Amino acid sequence: MAVPKRKMSRSNTRHRRSAWKAEAPKLVKTVENGKTVYSLPHRARVVEDSQGTPLFLEYKGRKVADA
C-alpha cells in the first residue's frame, strides 16, 4: 500500500492543492443544418432524425456505433 514515509507540512500540502486548477473545456464550433453547435473535440457525435431520436454515433463522417 502507498503509505507516506514522512509527514508533509501543512504549507506544502496547501501549496500542492492550490496548484491544481480546473480548466474550462475546449469547445469546437461546427455548423450543422444551418445551426451553430459547440462540441468537444475528438468525440463521437450523435446523429438524430427529425424527431430528435438518436440513430447512431458518427466520428469523422463515419458511423462508429449504434445509439
Side-chain angles (χ1 to χ4, degrees), residues 3-18:
V3 179
K5 293 248 181 198
R6 300 198 189 286
K7 180 176 179 174
M8 183 178 260
S9 70
R10 181 179 290 170
S11 173
N12 283 345
T13 301
R14 290 180 177 166
H15 186 269
R16 187 190 73 242
R17 287 180 182 162
S18 70

Side-chain angles (χ1 to χ4, degrees), residues 1-63:
M1 236 162 119
V3 179
K5 293 248 181 198
R6 300 198 189 286
K7 180 176 179 174
M8 183 178 260
S9 70
R10 181 179 290 170
S11 173
N12 283 345
T13 301
R14 290 180 177 166
H15 186 269
R16 187 190 73 242
R17 287 180 182 162
S18 70
W20 184 87
K21 291 182 180 54
E23 290 182 359
K26 311 234 181 320
L27 297 178
V28 176
K29 183 167 88 171
T30 56
V31 177
E32 296 175 13
N33 301 329
K35 293 192 296 187
T36 303
V37 179
Y38 293 93
S39 61
L40 294 170
H42 305 292
R43 298 293 194 287
R45 182 176 74 87
V46 177
V47 176
E48 299 174 340
D49 62 3
S50 59
Q51 284 85 31
T53 307
L55 299 174
F56 58 89
L57 293 173
E58 176 184 71
Y59 182 71
K60 291 187 178 179
R62 291 189 217 137
K63 179 180 172 182

